[in-house]
């Protein structure tokens, strides 16, 4: 689990092009990657570096020990100062589901968020119709806290989200 490097292009692209068809609403499935050239990828790597330098977002890519790109885990800084608060997101290529990679990566990412990035509270905001993501958050040690009504505008409407959280003390 680490930030992207320019030499990750082939493994990164293979992860996306190896996806199976979408398996449910929150799975993007196969994607058109024709615009994702090496030059485009180098700009993406630089954009991710700048987001981290600005303390806006940290995107960690997950690679198998054999080099395959499995997915990513990201943090968005919501507030620093007296809060030290972030949102965690994650997406894994569907051809790798069911192997425990996501739970291992999200658990490790949470540790990194607390220990290295200095967050005190990390939340996952999860659609009510996404039980796979809820189960993953729980497996990574996050706890259901509440449901936020009309929290995010997506799919053409304001949708509710469950909030799962964990803080630096493990609660």
């Amino acid at each position: 689990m680490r930030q992207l490097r320019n030499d990750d292009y082939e493994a990164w692209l293979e992860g996306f092009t190896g996806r199976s068809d979408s398996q449910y609403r929150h799975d993007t499935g196969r994607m058109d990657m024709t615009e994702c050239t090496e030059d485009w990828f180098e700009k993406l790597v630089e954009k991710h570096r700048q987001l981290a330098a600005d303390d806006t977002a940290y995107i960690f890519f997950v690679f198998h020990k054999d080099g395959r790109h499995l997915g990513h885990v990201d943090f968005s800084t919501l507030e620093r100062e007296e809060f030290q608060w972030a949102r965690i997101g994650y997406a894994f290529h569907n051809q790798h589901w069911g192997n425990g990679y996501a739970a291992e990566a999200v658990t490790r990412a949470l540790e990194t968020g607390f220990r290295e990035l200095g967050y005190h509270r990390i939340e996952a905001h999860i659609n009510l119709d996404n039980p796979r993501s809820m189960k993953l958050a729980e497996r990574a040690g996050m706890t259901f806290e509440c449901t936020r009504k009309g929290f995010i505008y997506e799919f053409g409407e304001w949708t509710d989200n469950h909030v799962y959280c964990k803080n630096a003390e493990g609660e």
Side-chain angles (χ1 to χ4, degrees):
M1 188 179 82
R2 59 177 171 72
Q3 291 184 318
L4 277 181
R5 300 184 308 235
N6 289 340
D7 63 349
D8 290 326
Y9 177 71
E10 292 298 327
W12 176 88
L13 185 62
E14 188 175 310
F16 280 98
T17 57
R19 284 183 172 191
S20 302
D21 291 333
S22 178
Q23 298 177 26
Y24 74 113
R25 180 180 186 187
H26 298 286
D27 173 19
T28 54
R30 295 186 190 276
M31 299 171 65
D32 179 6
M33 303 298 288
T34 54
E35 293 183 22
C36 302
T37 63
E38 284 190 65
D39 289 338
W40 178 93
F41 184 77
E42 288 177 9
K43 290 175 186 158
L44 178 70
V45 170
E46 183 52 38
K47 179 181 177 182
H48 289 184
R49 283 190 190 130
Q50 190 59 52
L51 289 168
D54 294 342
D55 192 38
T56 301
Y58 300 87
I59 303 141
F60 297 103
F61 287 78
V62 181
F63 293 89
H64 190 276
K65 61 185 173 187
D66 66 11
R68 289 177 294 152
H69 175 232
L70 305 174
H72 79 272
V73 180
D74 63 83
F75 292 103
S76 298
T77 301
L78 299 176
E79 180 70 38
R80 282 295 189 176
E81 299 178 18
E82 65 271 8
F83 289 99
Q84 302 301 326
W85 178 31
R87 181 208 51 84
I88 190 171
Y90 36 80
F92 288 82
H93 300 305
N94 61 17
Q95 70 268 33
H96 301 299
W97 290 358
N99 294 305
Y101 301 137
E104 180 181 344
V106 172
T107 300
R108 183 170 168 213
L110 286 166
E111 293 168 4
T112 299
F114 296 126
R115 189 178 62 252
E116 296 176 27
L117 301 178
Y119 295 121
H120 172 74
R121 177 184 175 86
I122 299 173
E123 295 181 351
H125 305 150
I126 303 172
N127 291 86
L128 275 56
D129 65 345
N130 195 348
R132 295 180 77 106
S133 186
M134 290 178 230
K135 184 177 179 180
L136 175 54
E138 290 169 357
R139 286 187 64 200
M142 301 184 85
T143 305
F144 173 76
E145 182 176 73
C146 65
T147 301
R148 291 191 181 137
K149 301 290 185 183
F151 185 63
I152 186 171
Y153 190 80
E154 59 184 358
F155 307 114
E157 62 184 338
W158 287 100
T159 42
D160 301 345
N161 271 193
H162 285 320
V163 176
Y164 284 76
C165 66
K166 188 170 185 173
N167 66 35
E169 287 80 37
E171 300 172 3

